[in-house]
Amino acid sequence: MKLRDDKKAGQIFRSVLTLVKEKGLAGITMGEIAKEAGMATGTLYIYFKNKEELINNLFFECRKEALENYFVNYDESLPFKKGFSIVWHNILQFRIENFEEVVLMDQCYHSPFVNDCTVKLTKEMKKPLYKLIERGKKENFFKDVDDMTLLTFMIGSIHEGVKNAHYNRKPLNKAAIDAMFKMCWDGMKR
Amino acid sequence: MKLRDDKKAGQIFRSVLTLVKEKGLAGITMGEIAKEAGMATGTLYIYFKNKEELINNLFFECRKEALENYFVNYDESLPFKKGFSIVWHNILQFRIENFEEVVLMDQCYHSPFVNDCTVKLTKEMKKPLYKLIERGKKENFFKDVDDMTLLTFMIGSIHEGVKNAHYNRKPLNKAAIDAMFKMCWDGMKR
Amino acid sequence: MKLRDDKKAGQIFRSVLTLVKEKGLAGITMGEIAKEAGMATGTLYIYFKNKEELINNLFFECRKEALENYFVNYDESLPFKKGFSIVWHNILQFRIENFEEVVLMDQCYHSPFVNDCTVKLTKEMKKPLYKLIERGKKENFFKDVDDMTLLTFMIGSIHEGVKNAHYNRKPLNKAAIDAMFKMCWDGMKR
Amino acid sequence: MKLRDDKKAGQIFRSVLTLVKEKGLAGITMGEIAKEAGMATGTLYIYFKNKEELINNLFFECRKEALENYFVNYDESLPFKKGFSIVWHNILQFRIENFEEVVLMDQCYHSPFVNDCTVKLTKEMKKPLYKLIERGKKENFFKDVDDMTLLTFMIGSIHEGVKNAHYNRKPLNKAAIDAMFKMCWDGMKR
DNA sequence: AATGAATGAGTATTCATTCAT
DNA sequence: TATGAATGAATACTCATTCAT
């Protein structure tokens, strides 16, 4: 008997990401997804109940993967600035390397496909980032500003930078990245 | 498109903005736009050749309106920091007050509706912002970083902040805005 | 402005009936209905929300038309047997001439298209037939059997006869019809 | 079709009957049949070449089973009215007890699944009923009406009665059955 | 033989666009 | 100009059938 292939869902996800980057969430059809994934349309429906569920799952998966990557090599025992730098660079790196995911997630807000439930779930995942910010404040590195504002500023410094580099086709080099980090740090520091 | 200054075109634009915020660019139909605007579908085609042109025009219009607002009350004769602050706050204010436009513009990247031509036109409009950055550098306020990186950082500090405030339903108060501006300034300043 | 054409719904109904007789309710597609009716598929959806509503409305319409025909020329002042005979022959005639409707209604029971609500509505319409039966009993023509059993017997004598004639391609002639009526009357009479 | 007498084929038949009564022939899928029968879809195709053959076989089987039951306990040596009564009651009893089969057979006319060949085969099986009618006429019990009309009347008296009882959820009791038989007999008798 | 995943043609429905009024 | 009915291509989704295990 042929059993459900665990790789298939991943293949499907990858195809959607490719297509979203090319033509946006708006213009994607199930037929195109299947074609890009090298399978029949019907097969998509074995792995996902419908388009909404497919996109939701992908959105959730992307968010999860992103946040999992953020803390690679981070260790609470490291001095704060070093640790913060690692996380900041992880986020930047992830967004550069996985720009397709970034595009998808951006497009998913306000989209009819992503439901509130999925949005809520992804919020939960942000907690480690808040912990990092709190540590920065407790160790007196950061300004006395509320956590959310600080985190948003940090994310913004990366987010906009990566988008810009991509759309202007100017890959970020070491110098630009260093400058960006310095600006972020200087902005946040007390 | 017939009469650009006709009230009807404006009504149509407004309807699209409302709907995009509600359900994203992906999920909007010409029928819904017409209904929201209180007119018949056919009427849309008197003002716009087709959906693509409608969205493109709106995108262009939003971008233009945005950039026009950015330099209100700005005057080159003002001391730099004062001038920069005015522009920064103008941008923030505009994005808060016209969040629908922000959403539309975000969704338009990667959308099959917005064509390269429109994207190019809007780039042209960014020039005054570059001039501002250059002045900041010439007058030795800003770090010695390339203009685009600085501008992107500035925009990012605002953009992400507004989005965050909106999605978390926490309107930005004076204190938060001051903190945001300070972070931005400290980040950019030499 | 082009206004909704009242004839269209009728045209659509007629097309469905033709097709149901040909291939049964099971095998009919919206595309075929549209083609048979000489219009585009989309047009069907201007007049009916979806397939279910289309079939339901048709079912209801058929039932109504049928019952309206049953009492043509009937008059309470006529002697009972004469009146009963008129109704009986009306029913027979209607079922012969509108065999397509008969087929549709038969197929609609147990079909996923016809919902309980519609079934209930049509029951309401049977009341005049019950009144006829009651009169027959009150005037001592009929056996002392409950109304429903009598009515069912009457209907059965016609229903099965018409179906049989149709499927065996033996149109009912005067002699056969007279025989059928006599059997029905003799069966019911005291 | 492989093994007619295998239990599996029977299970499949039973499942179809259950589903047809629930949702009509139109709305049934091979997947549902398999599920209801507690087996995989693929398995259905071991026993039947395709859906059409499955339904045709079932239709044929139902018809056969029905007609086999009609003459249980009937014996030509019995006095005619007694014999006729036995057959009449057998038919009634069968239709009450096997209402699902009745529904299936009704729905099969006009269905794209049941082909002419199957219809023809079932006609063949009606012969014993015609013989019964002929005997009734030869022994001067019945009206001088052609056989088919008499048989149809007899069947109609039962058919409609059973359907009605079922749909109105009023099981037929002894009194009602006696009344129905009397009406049928009185109608047919000379 | 039995399974259920895979297939892809087919179906209901939607929706941008046109057109008659 | 304005309307909204009509169109039919396009899309999400289904389902009979096949096939690898």
Side-chain angles (χ1 to χ4, degrees), chain A residues 153-165:
Chain A
F153 181 81
M154 173 191 176
I155 298 290
S157 73
I158 298 169
H159 202 199
E160 202 74 20
V162 171
K163 271 211 295 202
N164 208 271

Side-chain angles (χ1 to χ4, degrees), chain B residues 152-188:
Chain B
T152 302
F153 181 82
M154 173 192 175
I155 299 291
S157 73
I158 298 169
H159 202 315
E160 201 76 19
V162 172
K163 271 210 296 199
N164 207 272
H166 185 91
Y167 292 129
N168 293 305
R169 288 156 217 277
K170 297 210 180 171
L172 292 167
N173 55 25
K174 175 112 181 33
I177 293 174
D178 289 347
M180 282 166 65
F181 179 74
K182 186 155 179 31
M183 286 194 284
C184 176
W185 180 261
D186 289 353
M188 295 175 82

